[in-house]
Amino acid sequence: MVKSNTRWVIIVGATGFVGSYVSKELSRSFKTINTSRNRHEGFVQFDIFSDKISDLVSKTSIDPQNLQIVLCNKFGPMENYKFDAKFARLCEVDSVRNLSKNCTDMDVPITYLSTSYVYPGDRPGYEETSPTRPISLYGNLKLEAEQILLKSNKKNLIFRLDKVVGNDVATNHLFSEWYHLARKGQNIR
């Protein structure tokens, strides 16, 4: 491996709604590798359930000291969590644990895009030090993943996103989820 000062970012979950915007923004300042669990043109296939970042890095000339992981994983629409809680846990917690261990072994920090759903939602204006008390499976799983990451490497960073939206109902975000539920005559929670 050739030592380089080039800063690299591997975006895990770059095909998702948030990941695609994160990728676009970070590619302005860093060299990026965009990953997807499934095969997509222009993306490196990376299965967060079984693949290791160390294997991906070993196929490149990236110096791990100049590497950051941005984790944008999400199981799917929040309504799906209650229908398949076991798979949701695998996606949100177990896969994060595996990724965290591998990155910790390499001393590569992870920036995790979590959610404000780790708070109960009973008041506005939560701060980083506000007590967490999720009221949904989604919030509980995201909080559990946060705790894994914070314990594994002091360089890991958590961002709690709030109400991620867009203006295209064809993409996956909060308003498009509500739109599709309303079209089906289902309740919006």
Side-chain angles (χ1 to χ4, degrees):
M1 173 182 350
V2 176
K3 290 277 185 181
S4 167
N5 289 331
T6 304
R7 298 291 300 164
W8 284 88
V9 178
I10 296 176
I11 301 161
V12 177
T15 55
F17 180 73
V18 171
S20 64
Y21 282 95
V22 167
S23 170
K24 183 178 177 181
E25 211 43 50
L26 289 178
S27 67
R28 296 178 189 199
S29 303
F30 303 97
K31 296 280 189 180
T32 58
I33 296 176
N34 299 308
T35 71
S36 172
R37 184 168 170 227
N38 301 309
R39 291 189 189 274
H40 290 284
E41 188 174 332
F43 292 83
V44 174
Q45 189 170 5
F46 181 81
D47 188 338
I48 193 171
F49 301 117
S50 58
D51 294 340
K52 292 183 175 184
I53 289 290
S54 57
D55 293 338
L56 181 62
V57 170
S58 71
K59 297 175 187 173
T60 70
S61 60
I62 297 173
D63 178 355
Q65 291 182 333
N66 292 322
L67 177 61
Q68 173 81 34
I69 306 301
V70 176
L71 181 54
C72 306
N73 71 317
K74 185 176 178 222
F75 166 55
M78 285 180 274
E79 288 293 311
N80 291 357
Y81 282 67
K82 63 184 174 190
F83 298 119
D84 197 347
K86 186 176 180 179
F87 189 65
R89 170 168 288 287
L90 178 67
C91 294
E92 298 290 358
V93 177
D94 298 340
S95 63
V96 171
R97 182 178 290 112
N98 293 336
L99 181 71
S100 177
K101 180 178 179 349
N102 188 227
C103 288
T104 299
D105 291 345
M106 297 172 46
D107 197 29
V108 171
I110 298 172
T111 297
Y112 180 53
L113 302 185
S114 186
T115 179
S116 64
Y117 280 78
V118 299
Y119 301 113
D122 56 356
R123 65 176 179 83
Y126 291 103
E127 298 176 4
E128 180 180 357
T129 57
S130 298
T132 55
R133 192 173 36 93
I135 59 172
S136 67
L137 178 60
Y138 174 69
N140 277 296
L141 295 176
K142 288 293 192 179
L143 181 60
E144 193 173 338
E146 285 184 15
Q147 292 165 343
I148 290 166
L149 291 167
L150 291 174
K151 288 177 186 172
S152 68
N153 187 334
K154 66 181 180 181
K155 293 189 250 178
N156 288 344
L157 182 62
I158 309 295
F159 286 104
R160 292 178 176 151
L161 306 181
D162 191 43
K163 295 180 183 61
V164 176
V165 298
N167 61 1
D168 180 0
V169 295
T171 58
N172 186 14
H173 55 82
L174 183 63
F175 288 152
S176 66
E177 289 177 24
W178 290 354
Y179 171 80
H180 292 297
L181 288 170
R183 295 264 320 189
K184 294 177 187 173
Q186 297 177 342
N187 290 334
I188 298 171
R189 295 185 187 107

